[in-house]
Amino acid sequence: GENVEQHPSTLSVQEGDSAVIKCTYSDSASNYFPWYKQELGKRPQLIIDIRSNVGEKKDQRIAVTLNKTAKHFSLHITETQPEDSAVYFCAASSYSGGYQKVTFGTGTKLQVIP
Amino acid sequence: DAGVIQSPRHEVTEMGQEVTLRCKPISGHDYLFWYRQTMMRGLELLIYFNNNVPIDDSGMPEDRFSAKMPNASFSTLKIQPSEPRDSAVYFCASSLGRVLGNQPQHFGDGTRLSIL
């Protein structure tokens, strides 16, 4: 089955600096890669996603890159703000045997220091 | 769109009691997922359904856990008997699949379960 590894597990940055979170996956059939943000005591919420036919996607201060050959994808947050502090989860999704299968990473706790 | 609705939001009960968690997915979504989240183990997939049929229950920890989806708008996760180590936040999520391919999951607000 799919195995998703996420690094680092914790990350502290100064406000205004950039943050990068990296994930690797094992199943070459994975073709959809969402990222979720979970604030303390709240539910995970989708912030950006990328499909395997695209190498990069950007939405304001957030960008995601995908390297299918190396089987890794990354989340980039620029000009970080205190409200970016949360736990971020990557996920890899495949569609095989007629069903969707999603595997989550273990999460990265991001702390933005004012 | 009301989103995924879970109930109760909080549940505190004594060891040995039966616990039932409820979930109403987003209308039209054909996938429903149950997750458990703890500090130690992170976000764990317990079971997921497609068109009300359980597809993969390999994440269900043991026979004390059971899940049903009697119709497209309702699912339950039951723990009987409950144990203190079952204390966690339980999330339900739903998504669209099949025709449109992979789609993001939409999570409910979770049920915070405490077993004393």
Side-chain angles (χ1 to χ4, degrees):
Chain A
E2 174 68 280
N3 181 44
V4 176
E5 294 191 359
Q6 183 171 347
H7 300 281
S9 56
T10 60
L11 179 60
S12 289
V13 299
Q14 292 289 330
E15 181 178 358
D17 287 350
S18 295
V20 180
I21 302 170
K22 298 182 179 181
C23 289
T24 61
Y25 62 100
S26 59
D27 188 354
S28 56
S30 290
N31 57 8
Y32 174 64
F33 306 91
W35 285 87
Y36 293 83
K37 175 184 179 183
Q38 185 178 25
E39 296 177 1
L40 188 63
K42 301 282 184 67
R43 59 189 166 95
Q45 289 190 279
L46 179 77
I47 54 171
I48 195 168
D49 56 9
I50 190 167
R51 298 186 186 276
S52 58
N53 58 347
V54 175
E56 183 174 359
K57 184 177 179 180
K58 195 171 182 181
D59 183 2
Q60 299 183 345
R61 297 186 297 107
I62 294 173
V64 57
T65 59
L66 171 66
N67 183 326
K68 284 170 53 180
T69 303
K71 295 197 186 74
H72 65 71
F73 56 113
S74 301
L75 178 71
H76 305 253
I77 306 174
T78 58
E79 301 172 26
T80 53
Q81 300 168 4
E83 52 264 38
D84 295 329
S85 296
V87 177
Y88 291 81
F89 292 95
C90 65
S93 177
S94 63
Y95 199 81
S96 61
Y99 300 109
Q100 181 185 117
K101 176 73 175 178
V102 181
T103 304
F104 279 82
T106 50
T108 296
K109 184 175 182 180
L110 173 65
Q111 181 184 21
V112 179
I113 304 166
Chain B
D1 183 356
V4 176
I5 299 173
Q6 290 186 247
S7 65
R9 289 294 311 278
H10 304 272
E11 175 88 13
V12 181
T13 191
E14 292 190 348
M15 174 178 166
Q17 297 297 306
E18 178 179 291
V19 173
T20 299
L21 311 181
R22 296 172 177 80
C23 176
K24 177 179 167 57
I26 292 173
S27 178
H29 281 192
D30 53 348
Y31 279 86
L32 184 139
F33 305 82
W34 281 101
Y35 291 92
R36 177 173 67 177
Q37 187 174 41
T38 61
M39 288 293 292
M40 291 297 294
R41 301 173 71 91
L43 194 62
E44 300 176 273
L45 175 65
L46 301 178
I47 185 171
Y48 76 97
F49 296 82
N50 175 237
N51 289 324
N52 315 337
V53 176
I55 302 303
D56 184 351
D57 65 354
S58 59
M60 296 286 262
E62 47 199 279
D63 292 345
R64 297 184 298 106
F65 286 69
S66 63
K68 293 182 180 179
M69 192 164 185
N71 57 61
S73 59
F74 184 64
S75 177
T76 59
L77 178 67
K78 193 169 290 188
I79 308 173
Q80 167 64 20
S82 58
E83 296 183 4
R85 60 193 167 120
D86 301 331
S87 298
V89 179
Y90 291 80
F91 285 103
C92 175
S94 70
S95 71
L96 275 171
R98 197 166 50 180
V99 174
L100 298 179
N102 295 330
Q103 296 293 314
Q105 295 181 19
H106 298 259
F107 285 78
D109 288 328
T111 295
R112 185 171 295 276
L113 177 64
S114 296
I115 308 296
L116 306 177

